[in-house]
């Protein structure tokens, strides 16, 4: 903590302070002290700046897992879970948890798909997120953009072609993780009704109702389709090198 410097005291003021310190507590000030100006007051200290919360690094060391599938028994009891670090593209599999038993803060870093008591949450954006389960249990997860040295990514698919049928209704499909160079094929969709965000992460070619989008940059790309006036559907795809 920094303080502003005291103003200079005059020699007479210093003498006054010394005399006051040596005089009895019950005694009043002497004549000389009454003729002297009061000592200057010190300026108040500057307020301390609040400590900033450190953001997790984009690249982390050996303490962070790669893009793995990590199971968690959300119904378990006992000691709190240790803080986790998993590479983007991995999956946090929360087992034995009802459809309304999960809260995340902030939202948007996980793309979760629920079925039969299991939340399969793909890690789609970097940063830290806190997960709250039914029963007041919490888990803090750090999502790393890359892991050094590189590790296997069993939660991600190899280079290939992955087809999305834009004419299918229902909820959005589960998020994907693919290797750089994979092709995302959007079938049964005309030349309109499609966006990719960010658009420079893929290179798309359209012909006869089929759009082939090759992944050309690592990161997360969101594909948005609207088929024949139906509800807009989105698909998050994590692309790893």
């Amino acid at each position: 903590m920094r303080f502003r410097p005291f103003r200079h005291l005059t020699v007479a003021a210093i003498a006054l302070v010394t005399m006051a310190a040596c005089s009895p507590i019950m005694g009043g000030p002497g004549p000389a002290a009454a003729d002297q100006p009061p000592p200057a007051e010190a300026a108040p200290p500057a307020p301390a700046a609040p400590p900033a919360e450190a953001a997790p690094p984009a690249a982390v060391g050996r303490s962070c897992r790669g893009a793995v599938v990590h199971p968690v028994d959300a119904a378990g009891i006992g000691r709190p879970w240790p803080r986790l670090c998993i590479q983007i593209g991995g999956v946090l599999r929360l087992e034995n948890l009802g459809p309304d038993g999960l809260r995340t803060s902030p939202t948007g870093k996980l793309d979760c798909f629920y079925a039969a008591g299991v939340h399969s949450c793909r890690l789609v954006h970097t940063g830290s997120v806190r997960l709250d389960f039914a029963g007041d249990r919490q888990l803090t997860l750090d999502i790393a953009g890359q892991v050094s040295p590189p590790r296997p990514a069993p939660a991600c698919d190899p280079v290939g072609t992955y087809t999305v049928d834009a004419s299918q209704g229902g909820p959005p499909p589960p998020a994907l993780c693919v290797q750089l160079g994979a092709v995302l094929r959007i079938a049964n969709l005309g030349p309109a009704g499609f966006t990719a965000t960010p658009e420079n992460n893929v290179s798309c070619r359209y012909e006869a109702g089929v759009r082939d989008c090759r992944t050309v940059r690592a990161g997360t790309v969101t594909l948005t389709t609207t088929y024949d006036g139906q509800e807009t559907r989105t698909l998050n795809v994590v692309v790893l090198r």
Side-chain angles (χ1 to χ4, degrees):
M1 181 182 296
R2 296 183 302 175
F3 295 87
R4 297 177 183 173
F6 289 101
R7 299 174 184 172
H8 293 292
L9 299 176
T10 63
V11 175
I14 296 175
L16 173 61
V17 173
T18 305
M19 292 175 60
C22 298
S23 60
I25 297 178
M26 300 299 295
D35 297 335
Q36 301 296 329
E41 294 182 359
E53 183 178 354
V60 294
R62 297 183 181 277
S63 63
C64 194
R65 296 170 173 84
V68 300
V69 178
H70 183 81
V72 173
D73 184 0
I77 59 175
R79 299 170 58 186
W81 287 294
R83 190 167 184 144
L84 280 176
C85 181
I86 301 177
Q87 184 181 10
I88 191 173
V91 172
L92 192 64
R93 180 181 167 88
L94 306 173
E95 303 171 350
N96 300 315
L97 188 65
D100 300 323
L102 175 64
R103 299 289 184 272
T104 62
S105 179
T107 59
K109 296 187 181 300
L110 305 180
D111 188 326
C112 298
F113 181 84
Y114 176 81
V118 176
H119 294 259
S120 295
C121 295
R122 179 79 66 179
L123 283 53
V124 295
H125 292 291
T126 60
S128 293
V129 58
R130 193 183 86 164
L131 295 88
D132 291 274
F133 307 128
D136 297 328
R137 299 196 71 196
Q138 293 87 31
L139 171 65
T140 299
L141 174 66
D142 294 325
I143 305 173
Q146 60 183 359
V147 176
S148 180
R151 293 170 176 79
C156 298
D157 297 316
V159 175
T161 299
Y162 302 89
T163 302
V164 177
D165 188 346
S167 66
Q168 290 183 346
L176 296 176
C177 179
V178 300
Q179 298 293 331
L180 187 65
V183 174
L184 308 172
R185 175 167 292 170
I186 314 300
N188 298 321
L189 187 67
F194 172 82
T195 58
T197 308
E199 60 181 0
N200 58 356
N201 279 24
V202 292
S203 177
C204 298
R205 181 176 62 86
Y206 175 80
E207 183 178 359
V210 176
R211 184 178 280 98
D212 283 343
C213 295
R214 183 174 298 278
T215 57
V216 295
R217 291 188 179 183
T220 300
V221 58
T222 301
L223 309 180
T224 304
T225 60
T226 304
Y227 175 80
D228 195 23
Q230 294 181 4
E231 184 179 359
T232 298
R233 304 170 78 222
T234 60
L235 172 64
N236 287 316
V237 182
V238 180
V239 182
L240 298 184
R241 296 185 184 278

